[in-house]
């Protein structure tokens, strides 16, 4: 994928569809960049493609790419970072592919950069040759001869050809990138050895040569190499280890950015002072980039050209590099300090100004006296804020962005995540399933344990009751995941208990009902898990035991029978415990992840929102996952508040 | 001093009033049958697990209900040996992670509870509300921020710190709430006399608070241990390779354990239960309680 701009500041984005080039969009608002492939002047577009050993220049009429007047272009910004692989908006159609010219410089030519100035095309190659040719390619034959020659070095003599129209020059080193600084009319050439030179491209004359090689004199800086940077073999222009960076020039701040795609690094240098600004790792490999006209936005293209997963991102100028741990800690610290400050201010503001000064002194004196107390509380609050409050709030905020692993630019896409969730039929079905589970879980968490606790409490022999309680403690000693597996395999499995019993009953040796993996039985089976749902009977039992004797004596005198007693006395008096179990099982049911994930993985109609959230998290779609989490959080919050409001009736 | 703490609990064996109508024979029959049935069905999965762990893989696949015969018993050793070799390292990891988490949670929360109960400082209630509010927020909400934060910003992927930090930070809220309630019930007269005698905070904490509240702290320790031991979601996201804890490993082995190596699977589940058996037995011996023993499993 290539960007380029012409002299009128129109941006061309071109995609290699595998069969040729397609122009995809044009926008007048983006300032140039480009390097290894596409140039434009007033009338023509030149596309330089080097694939393997071949280098080809195609020249197209610009008008052939447009349908007439330029309509209002769709800015890249709107669709940037959608993460879709082929989401390029085609503003214009390619009407004809009238190639005015096609030059095939087939040979071991690896063009690392090109530029156009005053009607001449300059190609910079990895071995350190600069080819200058006019845009009419008037001396193509000679050029091809030189190129096809494959000689290691070329001596320049002005007799051989018209030096004004075409030129070949050897430089002292190989190149790995070129960018053109329009306002200075200078080319910044980045050599294989890591040096950046400034040069006037038009000034390729024999007079600047030393022993037949052109020397760059105006050295700007030296980029020091880290592992994975830069080319390794200077003489082998075709070496796969040659890393050609994308070079972006930010003319407003005189900053040059070098993006190294395969090592995902970016190197920034101030061209006026020659000082290195940053040298850091990116979260993604950038293929090429361009600045917006006002220099505020940087448009990045990540991914490989032939790779189907190309994304455009649009970032604020400064967010290109990752934030460090230090910054994260500083943010936490400042948030905490800010909160403390706000609290202090509120405290002071609520106090009469006459007493204010005294109060402040008292506070500070107290802090001095109880240093450790404040220190411990502050540290604990810092941890709480950093690991609990900040992630929760940040997740809610994230749910309104398009944050994914491939596109960490965090742009607002407003409610797009939520719309995606609520318009997807599969997701809506998962919410329905969650509600089914919820209702079933709550009923099963209250009714069977209540009945069991009741029967346990009326049993005559207390010793038997105690034995039962102890025995019932045993199954809960198994880890919960193991219990789910035992149910999955040992009870619902094809050789499991239920199937074995069914086989015995129906005398059919081949019968095998798939309880967990069929649309009909999956959901009921998952609800059935945990039979006989003894659950939190102990809470009810303990509460029943706590009912004061006077109630029962009064009921006895009234002639109450056992059932009446149960419904009229027991249940109302343990309402608090019932509510407690209600709330806890509500929360647990909504957040119950392992039950579905480990058995069916969400298939066969058992998908639930938290399961979908997990898959989004694994797929690095953090924005979408946050939206799921926020929806569940709001749901739980409403339920909890509603429940707290209902608990106004106190047990006397 | 444990007496004042456990008086909130139900002591099993307390006399409970009976209604004459309760003793109706049919009703008693129904009650015993119901309880017996529930007991049988509850214990059946455990029973199946135990007997099948003693059988060979083939025998398990053949029929899940058969009791292990003498001939089949010979495979018990294989089952448990195989299971142990798969499970020992992740189990040790789990135990270590859970122990550290439970210990520091207990420590931090008890110190904080001491401060919030016995000390007065500006903003005390204001700060305390911060801890309560976070209890309303489910842990899954922060996960989509916490994961990139741990994995990329702090470079803590596959490190146990990535488990301990959020668990301790979040766990202190719930434990603080629990401890503060209990600490507040302790008689302040003892504390006052200790302070009059010139004891400083550290001495008071170690000699008064800790002994008073050992049962509840132990309970918190065991419940945090159990909660962390059972944790699957966060562990499977953040850990890999040799550092994996037990639950993700059991999940990874599920494919084999569910088909070809069922006997080994059952044995593995039993082995995995051992640390929990130890902690549960320990908690039962210390406390005879109604609400909390059930509360452990919620």
């Amino acid at each position: 994928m290539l960007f380029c701009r012409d002299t009128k500041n129109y941006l061309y984005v071109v995609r290699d569809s595998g069969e040729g080039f397609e122009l995809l969009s044009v926008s007048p608002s983006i300032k140039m960049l480009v390097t290894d492939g596409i140039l434009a002047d007033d009338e023509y577009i030149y596309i330089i493609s080097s694939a393997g050993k071949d280098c080809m220049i195609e020249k197209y009429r610009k008008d052939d790419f447009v349908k007439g007047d330029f309509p209002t272009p769709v800015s890249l910004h709107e669709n940037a970072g959608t993460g879709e692989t082929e989401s390029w908006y085609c503003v214009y159609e390619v009407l004809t592919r009238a190639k005015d010219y096609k030059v095939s410089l087939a040979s071991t030519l690896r063009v690392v950069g090109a530029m156009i100035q005053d009607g001449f095309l300059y190609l910079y190659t990895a071995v350190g040759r600069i080819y200058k040719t006019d845009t009419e390619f008037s001396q193509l034959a000679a050029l091809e001869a030189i190129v096809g020659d494959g000689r290691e070095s070329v001596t320049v003599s002005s007799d051989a050809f018209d030096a004004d129209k075409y030129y070949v020059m050897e430089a002292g080193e190989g190149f790995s990138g070129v960018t053109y600084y329009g306002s200075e009319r200078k080319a910044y050439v980045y050599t294989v050895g890591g040096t950046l030179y400034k040069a006037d491209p038009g000034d390729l004359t024999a007079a600047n040569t030393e022993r037949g090689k052109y020397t760059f004199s105006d050295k700007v800086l030296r980029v020091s190499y880290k592992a994975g940077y830069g080319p390794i073999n200077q003489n082998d222009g075709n070496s796969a280890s040659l890393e050609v960076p994308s070079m972006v020039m930010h003319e407003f701040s005189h900053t040059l950015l070098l993006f190294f795609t395969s090592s995902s690094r970016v190197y920034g240098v101030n061209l006026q002072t020659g000082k290195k600004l940053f040298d850091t790792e990116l979260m993604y490999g950038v293929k090429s980039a361009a600045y917006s006209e006002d220099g505020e936005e940087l448009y990045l293209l990540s991914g490989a050209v032939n790779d189907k997963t190309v994304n455009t991102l649009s970032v604020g100028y400064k967010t290109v590099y990752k934030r460090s741990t230090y910054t994260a800690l500083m943010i936490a610290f400042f948030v905490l300090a800010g909160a403390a400050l706000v609290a202090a201010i509120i405290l002071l503001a609520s106090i009469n100004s006459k007493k204010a000064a005294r109060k402040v002194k008292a506070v500070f004196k107290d802090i001095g006296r109880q240093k450790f107390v404040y220190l411990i509380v502050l540290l604990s609050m810092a941890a709480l804020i950093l690991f609990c409050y900040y992630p929760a709030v940040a997740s809610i905020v994230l749910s309104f962005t398009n944050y994914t692993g491939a596109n960490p630019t965090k742009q607002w896409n407003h409610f797009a995540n939520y719309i995606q969730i609520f318009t997807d039929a599969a997701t809506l079905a998962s919410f329905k399933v969650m509600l089914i589970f919820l209702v079933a879980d709550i009923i099963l968490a209250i009714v069977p344990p209540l009945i069991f606790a009741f029967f346990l409490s009326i049993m005559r022999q207390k010793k038997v009751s105690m034995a039962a309680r102890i025995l019932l403690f045993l199954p809960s000693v198994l880890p919960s995941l193991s219990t789910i597996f035992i149910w999955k395999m040992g009870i619902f499995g094809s050789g499991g208990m239920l199937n074995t019993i069914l086989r015995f009953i129906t005398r059919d040796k081949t019968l095998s009902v798939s309880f967990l993996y069929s649309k009909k039985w999956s959901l009921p089976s998952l609800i059935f898990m945990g039979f006989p749902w003894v659950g939190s009977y102990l809470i009810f039992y303990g509460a029943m035991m706590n009912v004061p004797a006077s109630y029962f004596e009064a009921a006895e005198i009234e002639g109450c029978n056992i059932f009446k007693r149960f419904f009229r006395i027991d249940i109302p008096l343990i309402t608090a415990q019932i509510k407690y179990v209600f709330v806890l099982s509500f929360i647990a049911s909504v957040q119950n992840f392992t039950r579905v994930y480990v058995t069916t993985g969400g298939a066969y109609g058992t998908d639930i929102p938290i399961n979908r959230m997990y898959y989004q998290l694994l797929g690095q779609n953090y924005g979408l996952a946050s939206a799921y989490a926020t929806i569940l959080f709001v749901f739980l919050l409403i339920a909890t508040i509603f429940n707290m409001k209902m608990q106004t009736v106190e047990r006397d | 001093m444990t007496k004042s703490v456990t008086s909130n609990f139900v002591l099993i064996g307390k006399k409970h009033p009976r209604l004459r109508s309760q003793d109706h024979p049919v009703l008693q029959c129904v009650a015993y049958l119901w309880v017996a049935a529930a007991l049988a069905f509850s214990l059946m999965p455990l029973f199946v697990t135990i007997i099948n762990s003693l059988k060979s893989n083939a025998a398990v696949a053949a029929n899940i209900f058969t009791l292990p015969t003498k001939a089949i018993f010979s495979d018990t050793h294989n089952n448990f040996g195989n299971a142990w070799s798969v499970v020992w390292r992740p189990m040790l990891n789990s135990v270590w992670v859970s122990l550290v988490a439970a210990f520091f949670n207990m420590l931090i929360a008890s110190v904080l509870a001491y401060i919030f109960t016995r000390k007065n400082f500006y903003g005390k209630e204001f700060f305390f509300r911060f801890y309560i509010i976070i209890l309303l927020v489910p842990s899954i909400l922060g996960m989509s921020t916490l994961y990139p934060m741990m994995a990329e910003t702090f470079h803590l992927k596959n490190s146990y710190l990535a488990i301990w930090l959020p668990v301790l930070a979040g766990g202190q809220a719930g434990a603080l709430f629990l401890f503060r309630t209990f600490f507040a019930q302790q008689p302040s007269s003892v504390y006052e006399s200790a302070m009059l005698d010139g004891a400083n905070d550290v001495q008071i904490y170690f000699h008064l608070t800790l002994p008073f509240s050992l049962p509840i702290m132990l309970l918190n320790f065991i419940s945090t241990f159990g909660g962390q031991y059972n944790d699957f979601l966060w562990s499977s996201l953040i850990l890999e390779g040799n550092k994996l804890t037990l639950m993700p490993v059991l999940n990874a082995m599920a494919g084999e354990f569910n088909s070809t190596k069922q006997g080994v699977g059952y044995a593995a589940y039993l082995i995995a239960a051992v640390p929990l058996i130890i902690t549960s037995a320990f908690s039962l011996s210390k406390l005879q309680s109604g609400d909390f023993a059930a509360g452990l499993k919620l």
Side-chain angles (χ1 to χ4, degrees):
Chain A
M1 191 64 61
L2 312 160
F3 288 146
C4 96
R5 125 188 120 160
D6 67 1
T7 47
K8 292 205 187 75
N9 265 358
Y10 286 110
L11 174 81
Y12 297 89
V13 182
V14 176
R15 175 179 71 171
D16 179 1
S17 65
E19 295 154 40
F21 285 99
E22 283 176 350
L23 180 71
L24 290 176
S25 73
V26 172
S27 157
S29 66
I30 301 180
K31 227 169 170 49
M32 152 169 190
L33 171 70
V34 130
T35 56
D36 77 297
I38 166 169
L39 311 164
D41 60 18
D42 282 341
E43 275 184 72
Y44 298 99
I45 295 183
Y46 304 87
I47 297 178
I48 300 153
S49 52
S50 46
K53 292 184 183 172
D54 298 331
C55 175
M56 193 167 73
I57 305 177
E58 293 168 290
K59 172 177 166 180
Y60 297 79
R61 269 185 202 289
K62 249 207 232 169
D63 293 343
D64 288 343
F65 282 91
V66 309
K67 236 201 274 204
D69 293 328
F70 293 118
T72 319
V74 180
S75 86
L76 276 179
H77 196 250
E78 279 180 25
N79 264 7
T82 55
E84 292 164 321
T85 55
E86 321 247 51
S87 63
W88 302 101
Y89 11 94
C90 191
V91 177
Y92 302 106
E93 278 179 15
V94 175
L95 287 183
T96 63
R97 197 86 57 84
K99 300 181 189 189
D100 277 56
Y101 219 100
K102 182 170 167 176
V103 175
S104 209
L105 306 171
S107 80
T108 57
L109 193 66
R110 168 85 190 264
V111 173
V112 299
M115 40 174 292
I116 193 167
Q117 183 186 14
D118 297 337
F120 287 101
L121 225 69
Y122 300 86
L123 307 175
Y124 291 74
T125 71
V127 295
R129 282 192 198 166
I130 309 170
Y131 294 90
K132 167 183 171 179
T133 170
D134 64 327
T135 54
E136 297 303 318
F137 302 103
S138 56
Q139 300 200 312
L140 180 63
L143 182 69
E144 281 179 336
I146 296 260
V147 168
D149 194 326
R151 270 179 288 163
E152 227 184 76
S153 74
V154 173
T155 343
V156 177
S157 95
S158 37
D159 309 331
F161 35 80
D162 185 348
D164 283 339
K165 293 224 171 98
Y166 126 83
Y167 214 79
V168 177
M169 181 58 70
E170 294 277 343
E173 286 179 84
F175 302 118
S176 60
V178 169
T179 187
Y180 187 57
Y181 197 153
S183 47
E184 275 186 10
R185 287 177 58 85
K186 291 271 191 265
Y188 281 86
V189 182
Y190 181 58
T191 68
V192 155
T195 318
L196 194 71
Y197 291 102
K198 188 159 68 169
D200 183 346
D203 182 28
L204 289 175
T205 63
N208 281 339
T209 64
E210 224 178 66
R211 277 177 289 161
K213 289 198 194 269
Y214 183 85
T215 34
F216 291 95
S217 48
D218 197 347
K219 184 156 105 175
V220 177
L221 65 93
R222 175 143 187 100
V223 176
S224 56
Y225 282 104
K226 287 205 164 122
Y229 262 4
I232 296 165
N233 189 339
Q234 292 191 17
N235 292 322
D236 179 8
N238 250 350
S239 163
S241 58
L242 178 68
E243 168 132 51
V244 176
S246 277
M247 298 169 70
V248 195
M249 179 80 66
H250 189 235
E251 298 192 9
F252 294 92
S253 62
H254 306 284
T255 309
L256 181 71
L257 296 177
L258 295 165
F259 289 99
F260 292 88
T261 313
S262 48
S263 49
S264 292
R265 297 191 74 91
V266 63
Y267 189 96
V269 60
N270 182 318
L271 288 170
Q272 283 183 330
T273 63
K275 208 179 84 170
K276 173 177 111 175
L277 292 174
F278 48 82
D279 173 10
T280 172
E281 206 182 313
L282 284 180
M283 291 189 203
Y284 35 84
V286 170
K287 175 67 189 165
S288 64
Y291 273 106
S292 61
E293 190 164 16
D294 57 6
E296 289 299 311
E297 293 275 334
L298 180 64
Y299 298 101
L300 302 174
L301 202 79
S302 69
V305 169
N306 294 322
D307 190 4
K308 289 296 176 191
T309 60
V310 176
N311 298 310
T312 20
L313 324 169
S314 150
V315 302
Y317 164 52
K318 293 230 160 74
T319 62
V320 158
Y321 43 96
K322 266 203 304 212
R323 263 191 287 175
S324 63
T325 313
Y326 171 81
T327 319
L329 284 175
M330 291 310 291
I331 290 174
F333 173 72
F334 281 121
V335 166
L336 181 59
L341 204 66
V342 166
I345 290 172
I346 292 176
L347 193 69
L348 288 177
S350 63
I351 288 169
N352 195 329
S353 60
K354 267 192 255 179
K355 299 185 202 158
R358 246 182 290 157
K359 190 80 177 185
V360 172
K361 269 206 200 109
V363 170
F364 277 110
K365 208 164 136 209
D366 193 46
I367 293 181
R369 250 188 312 125
Q370 299 193 84
K371 308 192 267 295
F372 282 118
V373 167
Y374 283 95
L375 187 68
I376 292 176
V377 171
L378 225 61
L379 279 175
S380 151
M381 293 285 303
L384 195 68
I385 289 181
L386 184 60
F387 293 109
C388 295
Y389 276 101
Y390 166 68
V393 171
S395 286
I396 297 181
V397 168
L398 263 187
S399 67
F400 295 107
T401 68
N402 61 355
Y403 183 37
T404 68
N407 174 16
T409 55
K410 297 190 198 150
Q411 300 159 294
W412 301 113
N413 62 359
H414 307 292
F415 287 94
N417 287 332
Y418 291 95
I419 293 176
Q420 185 181 346
I421 289 181
F422 286 118
T423 53
D424 180 24
T427 313
L428 287 176
S430 77
F431 278 106
K432 197 171 82 169
V433 172
M434 178 182 94
L435 288 174
I436 295 177
F437 270 125
L438 186 64
V439 170
D441 284 342
I442 291 181
I443 294 178
L444 292 177
I446 295 180
V447 174
L450 208 55
I451 300 177
F452 183 76
F454 173 67
F455 280 129
L456 203 60
S457 72
I458 69 170
M459 272 167 65
R460 201 114 179 246
Q461 315 261 21
K462 282 302 155 199
K463 290 229 173 75
V464 176
S465 148
M466 178 130 76
R469 281 202 302 266
I470 293 179
L471 278 178
L472 272 178
F473 193 65
L474 288 179
S476 60
V477 148
L478 281 173
S480 46
L481 200 75
S482 308
T483 315
I484 297 180
F485 278 129
I486 293 171
W487 273 86
K488 175 181 178 186
M489 166 173 85
I491 297 180
F492 288 132
S494 56
M497 281 170 46
L498 285 177
N499 268 317
T500 313
I501 294 175
L502 280 176
R503 273 192 283 259
F504 182 72
I505 293 177
T506 59
R507 305 265 175 223
D508 179 358
K509 291 273 161 50
T510 60
L511 175 68
S512 174
V513 178
S514 176
F515 285 101
L516 286 176
Y517 303 113
S518 66
K519 261 213 135 41
K520 198 165 155 207
W521 294 112
S522 231
L523 196 55
S525 302
L526 285 181
I527 294 177
F528 187 74
M529 249 195 215
F531 180 81
W533 309 301
V534 176
S536 31
Y537 79 96
L538 212 44
I539 291 187
F540 297 137
Y541 180 75
M544 279 179 183
M545 289 288 141
N546 256 341
V547 174
S550 47
Y551 281 96
F552 295 133
E553 282 155 25
E556 185 82 3
I557 293 172
E558 305 276 327
C560 201
N561 77 4
I562 191 71
F563 291 111
K564 259 209 193 139
R565 185 200 102 172
F566 181 61
F567 285 106
R568 293 281 169 79
I569 299 181
D570 284 337
I571 290 193
L573 286 177
I574 58 175
T575 311
Q577 273 78 7
I578 295 182
K579 288 216 167 102
Y580 175 70
V581 170
F582 179 92
V583 172
L584 284 186
S585 55
F586 191 104
I587 295 175
S589 173
V590 169
Q591 294 191 69
N592 190 345
F593 168 72
T594 40
R595 175 169 57 177
V596 168
Y597 177 70
V598 153
T599 52
T600 60
Y604 304 102
T606 60
D607 203 6
I608 47 175
I610 191 172
N611 194 42
R612 294 187 81 86
M613 184 189 108
Y614 181 73
Y615 282 121
Q616 296 305 327
L617 217 59
L618 277 188
Q620 293 192 309
N621 294 324
Y622 301 120
L624 202 57
S626 302
Y628 275 108
T630 311
I631 292 175
L632 291 177
F633 168 62
V634 168
F635 183 63
L636 283 175
L637 198 66
I638 292 178
T640 314
I641 292 177
F642 187 66
N643 192 57
M644 289 207 287
K645 288 260 161 73
M646 289 221 306
Q647 277 182 353
T648 49
V649 178
E650 288 288 310
R651 194 152 63 118
D652 56 287
Chain B
M1 276 307 157
T2 37
K3 266 229 155 91
S4 62
V5 172
T6 54
S7 61
N8 287 330
F9 302 148
V10 175
L11 297 173
I12 295 178
K14 189 167 102 177
K15 212 161 173 338
H16 182 74
R18 305 189 60 82
L19 292 183
R20 241 171 286 132
S21 56
Q22 232 173 273
D23 290 338
H24 193 278
V26 173
L27 193 59
Q28 287 290 315
C29 247
V30 171
Y32 275 92
L33 277 174
W34 186 280
V35 170
L39 205 61
F41 283 119
S42 296
L43 290 178
M44 182 62 92
L46 186 62
F47 177 67
V48 162
T49 307
I50 296 178
I51 60 169
N52 279 309
S53 68
L54 302 173
K55 288 149 62 172
S56 72
N57 290 321
V60 174
N63 188 332
I64 199 168
F65 280 121
T66 57
L67 288 170
T69 64
K70 280 249 167 52
I72 303 177
F73 251 119
S74 61
D75 264 341
T76 308
H77 186 255
N78 275 350
N79 280 351
F80 279 93
N82 271 344
W84 176 253
S85 68
V86 169
V87 149
W88 75 269
R89 181 185 276 257
M91 187 163 90
L92 279 177
N93 290 339
S94 267
V95 169
W96 169 243
V97 171
S98 310
L99 269 178
V100 171
F103 178 74
F104 280 101
N105 184 37
M106 184 177 78
L107 189 68
I108 293 172
S110 62
V111 169
L112 280 174
Y114 175 75
I115 289 177
F116 274 95
T117 315
R118 299 286 155 211
K119 295 269 164 201
N120 270 317
F121 54 95
Y122 287 103
K124 180 161 100 164
E125 293 308 320
F126 174 70
F127 284 131
F128 193 69
R129 264 186 231 122
F130 262 93
Y131 291 98
I132 301 303
I133 292 175
I134 205 69
L135 289 175
L136 274 179
V137 178
S139 56
I140 47 169
L141 181 60
M143 217 171 259
S144 51
T145 302
L146 207 56
Y147 179 65
M149 185 164 105
M150 287 292 161
E152 285 149 31
T153 316
F154 290 134
H155 297 288
L156 284 178
K157 189 161 168 73
N158 207 28
S159 149
Y160 290 146
L161 266 181
I163 296 185
W164 288 325
L165 287 173
V167 163
L168 288 175
Q172 63 182 341
L176 170 62
F177 188 56
L178 181 70
F179 286 167
R180 194 183 181 192
T181 322
F182 276 85
F183 285 16
Q185 287 172 343
Q186 294 163 3
S188 48
S189 49
V190 189
Y191 282 95
E192 280 159 24
S193 55
M195 288 200 344
L196 280 176
D197 286 340
N200 67 15
D201 284 319
V202 181
Q203 287 170 323
I204 295 180
Y205 173 74
F206 275 108
H207 292 265
L208 284 180
T209 317
L210 280 190
F212 276 178
S213 45
L214 219 45
I216 191 64
M217 286 177 61
L218 223 57
L219 205 66
N220 174 258
F221 180 91
I222 285 165
S223 103
T224 314
F225 180 89
Q228 187 52 43
Y229 191 80
N230 270 317
D231 172 54
F232 170 68
L233 180 52
W234 184 244
S235 306
S236 64
L237 273 178
I238 213 97
L239 298 173
E240 41 194 32
N242 269 342
K243 283 198 146 187
L244 272 175
T245 52
L246 191 51
M247 296 304 141
V249 168
L250 285 182
N251 184 43
M253 300 301 296
E256 278 180 35
F257 285 170
N258 283 1
S259 47
T260 51
K261 292 195 183 159
Q262 293 193 34
V264 180
Y266 286 116
Y269 301 142
L270 283 178
I271 296 178
V274 166
L276 290 182
I277 294 177
I278 295 176
T279 56
S280 303
F282 196 60
S283 83
L284 266 189
S285 71
K286 287 285 173 185
L287 276 169
Q288 290 270 327
S289 72
D291 310 87
F292 278 106
L296 272 179
K297 277 307 157 187
L298 273 176

